[in-house]
């Protein structure tokens, strides 16, 4: 049983390392951000689901912050229903690409 846990731990570390090694491609994200722009591309936009919420602009946000936020939504650590649904549909590469796209904007 200890060997099984050790193997699972190693597999988890390998997966975390692989995700950390991903390099975002801002050009690849151009086709991935259409869903984001509707809310995060409008200055002063407020969403009304599930409650009134000030939607932040993503342009020029830190790449590291966007990756962390999307992964937190994906894992259920953040709980905005719309963002959880969107994040769960993104691969680790998608997240890296979207983060790179928004981080390069000014």
């Amino acid at each position: 049983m200890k060997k099984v846990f050790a193997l699972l731990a190693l597999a988890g570390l390998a997966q975390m390392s692989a995700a950390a090694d991903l390099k975002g491609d801002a050009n690849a994200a151009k086709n991935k951000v259409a869903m984001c722009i509707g809310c995060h591309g409008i200055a002063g936009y407020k969403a009304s689901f599930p409650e009134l919420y000030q939607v932040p602009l993503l342009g020029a946000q830190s790449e590291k912050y966007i990756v962390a936020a999307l992964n937190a939504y994906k894992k259920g650590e953040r709980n905005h229903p719309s963002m959880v649904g969107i994040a769960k549909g993104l691969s680790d590469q998608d997240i890296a690409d979207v983060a790179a796209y928004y981080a390069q904007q000014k």
Side-chain angles (χ1 to χ4, degrees), residues 41-65:
I42 303 169
Y45 182 71
K46 294 181 182 176
S48 60
F49 178 80
E51 58 195 42
L52 191 60
Y53 178 78
Q54 180 71 38
V55 178
L57 291 174
L58 294 181
Q61 283 281 1
S62 158
E63 191 168 346
K64 190 174 182 179
Y65 170 78

Side-chain angles (χ1 to χ4, degrees), residues 8-90:
L8 290 173
L10 286 174
L13 287 174
Q15 185 177 12
M16 286 174 37
S17 176
D21 293 339
L22 286 177
K23 176 122 175 90
D25 180 351
N27 286 326
K30 289 178 182 176
N31 295 322
K32 300 177 184 181
V33 296
M35 196 172 355
C36 310
I37 293 170
C39 295
H40 293 284
I42 303 169
Y45 182 71
K46 294 181 182 176
S48 60
F49 178 80
E51 58 195 42
L52 191 60
Y53 178 78
Q54 180 71 38
V55 178
L57 291 174
L58 294 181
Q61 283 281 1
S62 158
E63 191 168 346
K64 190 174 182 179
Y65 170 78
I66 294 172
V67 168
L70 286 171
N71 280 319
Y73 284 118
K74 191 173 182 175
K75 295 175 187 172
E77 295 167 357
R78 286 189 174 194
N79 62 7
H80 191 278
S82 297
M83 286 304 305
V84 168
I86 290 166
K88 285 186 176 186
L90 299 174

